[in-house]
Amino acid sequence: MSHLLAFDVGTTRTKAVLIAVDGRVVETASASYPVHYPRPHWAEQDQEDWWRAVGTTSREVLGRSGVDAGSVLGLAFSTQMLNVICLDGDRNVIGRSISWIDGRAAEEAKSLMRRFGGEGIFAALLGATLTGKDFLPKYLWFRKHEPELLSRTATLIDANGYLLLRSTGRVVCEWGNASVTGLFSLKSKTWDTGLMKFLGVDRKKFPELVRSSENVGGLTDDAAKHLGLRPGTPVFAGSGDAMTAAVGAGAVREGECHLSLGTSAFVGIMTRRRVTGRRGMASIQSADPAKLLLIAETEAAGACLKWAAKEIYGASEEDAGIYRRMDDEIAGTSPGNLIFTPWMFGERSPVPDHRLRAGFINLSASHTRADMMRSIYEGVAFNLRWILELIEVMYGFNPEVLRVIGGGARGLPWLRIISDVTGKTLETTEWPQEAGAIGASRLAAVGLGIYPSVKAAAADLKVADRIVPDQSAREAHDRNYEAFRLIYRALRGVYGKLNRDL
């Protein structure tokens, strides 16, 4: 039996997934690493940690499965996006990777938006305001605060580009990862040199572009030894986590939708239409070269549950059973009159406002811990319903079914609440937490000719569970949802005053 190997390289851990060519998951392994916070609002990672984790997990899945390295036909990466890594003229890394969660460039973001008439006009034109987490403000930050470093930088790459460099020795940038920088033309599939010139961005610092299923090269001798594979094993570009997730969810046909429930949550809809982003939504390049991904991200989903586990339940991070206990506690509850707003980190969509914050509304002495937990689950569901309604009103997409992936897909009570609140049928795949890596492996399979297209590669992914909305509590959910939206309108000015310095 032949195999494919894929890596999901996230912010805090890497997961390797060994997959038989018939789609069966053979073995998985994971390794974690830190995020460094050298100053307030700064977040950096040692990219060598990613490479070390890739090697460790690769050798582990091969060793535990007993699969011969020669049976691995190819490998690919699904990665976090919007990192900034500087390479000198000899392709050596300068310093640590600037993480996607790094917000040091807040002033540069504001300055850039002023060039377009201010935050309001910028958001109206491009769908959302810029933040210090975005690529362009970070580039301008380097130009202002680290000009010597920027002058030494021959090429700027991201996590995906770094791993492809370590694997093959080639410096490239994959289309999907390029598209989130704001400097990629979705029409021509090239770097937008006109915009670069307008913004004073040096085109020479941006590498050659490749498609997600493109064969970037074979493993070098050193890389092969590190991964426990054979030299020359083909390495395919893969893509960013949102793009590979759509493939791994099996939601790649026109108008199909996937919902990722992790620390944050996002709704992604595949389409051939190039639509202008609004209300925090954006069109980015999908893993299918012929389609885009309309994506809307809510900043805190599982993060709200993680906060509750620690602060309400007093659980440690090592308590693996806490989320099951939380699910069990809300299983016997029904919709009440307590509402939670899940905006712990501000919000990107449905309301792009980084000053928003979370809170319990209408909390009384009669409410229990179970009521509080249910309201947290419902609060995230209300945010998702708002996003889905906006997508229908603004773009005409009204998917009846959402393919759900991520860690949250394991929590059946939460999925039932989301289904009831949104009125959508939810489907989970057999391996929802491995969807990113599975999607990357399918892209490698397209590159190898096993499948003729991305659409074909995702067609045979099986549904494990199907959750149909229960209409019995519809009236209560509708009432609370309307109150949820009123809370935003009533309190956004208060949030602005309390968090004006953010």
Side-chain angles (χ1 to χ4, degrees):
M1 174 69 73
S2 298
H3 299 82
L4 299 166
L5 182 58
F7 302 90
D8 187 349
V9 182
T11 307
T12 59
R13 70 170 185 164
T14 283
K15 176 177 284 187
V17 183
L18 183 65
I19 302 164
V21 289
D22 62 5
R24 179 172 45 89
V25 172
V26 176
E27 189 62 78
T28 69
S30 64
S32 60
Y33 34 73
V35 179
H36 304 282
Y37 301 96
R39 299 185 191 179
H41 309 300
W42 288 34
E44 299 176 353
Q45 289 195 277
D46 185 342
Q47 49 277 336
E48 184 64 28
D49 287 341
W50 305 332
W51 185 239
R52 188 179 301 111
V54 165
T56 299
T57 55
S58 176
R59 296 189 302 271
E60 188 172 343
V61 294
L62 291 171
R64 288 211 306 254
S65 66
V67 166
D68 182 76
S71 77
V72 177
L73 301 180
L75 61 98
F77 298 100
S78 167
T79 60
Q80 53 178 297
M81 295 185 285
L82 285 170
N83 324 88
V84 183
I85 302 170
C86 300
L87 300 180
D88 65 19
D90 295 320
R91 298 182 175 180
N92 297 313
V93 173
I94 308 172
R96 292 194 294 210
S97 168
I98 309 302
S99 173
W100 66 273
I101 57 177
D102 183 288
R104 71 182 68 183
E107 288 303 317
E108 284 71 24
K110 294 176 183 177
S111 175
L112 187 55
M113 287 188 289
R114 285 195 292 269
R115 294 181 63 179
F116 289 86
E119 289 189 21
I121 294 176
F122 189 92
L125 289 171
L126 298 179
T129 57
L130 279 175
T131 74
K133 298 178 182 179
D134 291 308
F135 176 83
L136 276 172
K138 286 174 180 172
Y139 182 93
L140 298 178
W141 184 92
F142 275 113
R143 196 168 67 186
K144 179 179 180 180
H145 297 281
E146 295 280 0
E148 189 274 335
L149 185 150
L150 191 58
S151 68
R152 288 172 53 208
T153 298
T155 312
L156 292 164
I157 58 173
D158 59 6
N160 184 273
Y162 173 79
L163 293 166
L164 293 174
L165 170 62
R166 292 301 300 266
S167 299
T168 70
R170 190 175 168 195
V171 178
V172 296
C173 184
E174 182 271 332
W175 283 8
N177 286 281
S179 72
V180 299
T181 66
L183 297 171
F184 178 83
S185 170
L186 294 173
K187 182 178 181 180
S188 66
K189 313 301 184 187
T190 60
W191 292 115
D192 191 333
T193 54
L195 182 60
M196 286 178 166
K197 185 175 181 180
F198 175 75
L199 296 172
V201 174
D202 186 354
R203 164 65 184 89
K204 295 178 182 178
K205 297 185 185 296
F206 293 81
E208 174 189 357
L209 292 163
V210 295
R211 298 186 183 201
S212 61
S213 59
E214 189 167 330
N215 185 340
V216 177
L219 282 177
T220 65
D221 290 348
D222 287 344
K225 182 178 180 180
H226 182 66
L227 272 66
L229 295 172
R230 290 187 177 179
T233 301
V235 180
F236 298 86
S239 193
D241 48 16
M243 297 76 162
T244 58
V247 180
V252 297
R253 292 182 295 184
E254 181 68 26
E256 287 189 330
C257 181
H258 77 278
L259 167 62
S260 175
L261 284 177
T263 301
S264 61
F266 62 82
V267 172
I269 293 183
M270 295 285 281
T271 178
R272 292 181 180 273
R273 293 162 48 192
R274 283 190 291 118
V275 297
T276 302
R278 286 178 280 172
R279 298 291 293 269
M281 303 178 194
S283 289
I284 56 180
Q285 178 63 47
S286 79
D288 185 334
K291 291 190 178 72
L292 304 181
L293 187 65
L294 176 62
I295 190 166
E297 181 181 15
T298 176
E299 296 276 51
C304 298
L305 275 62
K306 185 176 181 179
W307 172 85
K310 179 182 178 183
E311 303 300 340
I312 296 180
Y313 285 80
S316 68
E317 292 191 9
E318 291 73 32
D319 187 348
I322 180 58
Y323 297 104
R324 178 65 60 86
R325 297 203 300 275
M326 290 159 61
D327 283 349
D328 290 344
E329 186 152 19
I330 70 160
T333 63
S334 57
N337 62 351
L338 178 62
I339 295 175
F340 176 78
T341 60
W343 309 313
M344 287 196 160
F345 308 128
E347 191 51 281
R348 186 176 296 267
S349 188
V351 281
D353 188 341
H354 66 280
R355 295 184 178 91
L356 297 184
R357 288 297 179 268
F360 291 97
I361 309 297
N362 208 38
L363 181 67
S364 72
S366 64
H367 284 121
T368 65
R369 184 174 71 177
D371 294 327
M372 294 176 72
M373 281 310 308
R374 183 182 181 92
S375 73
I376 292 174
Y377 284 54
E378 289 176 339
V380 175
F382 291 145
N383 234 25
L384 293 171
R385 174 172 169 177
W386 197 351
I387 286 173
L388 290 165
E389 288 183 355
L390 287 172
I391 288 174
E392 181 179 6
V393 170
M394 295 190 301
Y395 304 114
F397 294 110
N398 183 25
E400 295 297 322
V401 177
L402 311 182
R403 283 284 180 95
V404 189
I405 60 169
R410 297 290 191 187
L412 191 56
W414 196 13
L415 295 186
R416 287 195 178 116
I417 287 173
I418 293 173
S419 178
D420 294 347
V421 166
T422 63
K424 304 292 185 181
T425 296
L426 305 185
E427 293 179 346
T428 63
T429 59
E430 291 182 296
W431 298 85
Q433 289 178 279
E434 287 73 30
I438 290 172
S441 76
R442 295 297 173 108
L443 295 174
V446 173
L448 287 162
I450 296 171
Y451 296 103
S453 66
V454 173
K455 178 181 176 180
D460 61 350
L461 287 160
K462 297 177 182 178
V463 172
D465 289 302
R466 201 165 190 265
I467 300 97
V468 177
D470 180 357
Q471 299 297 328
S472 63
R474 186 71 187 181
E475 184 177 347
H477 285 313
D478 287 348
R479 178 199 67 211
N480 289 349
Y481 172 64
E482 290 305 313
F484 179 87
R485 293 184 58 174
L486 284 172
I487 288 167
Y488 167 70
R489 298 190 191 103
L491 294 183
R492 60 185 173 184
V494 175
Y495 293 125
K497 288 184 179 180
L498 292 175
N499 303 313
R500 65 176 60 187
D501 295 329
L502 297 177

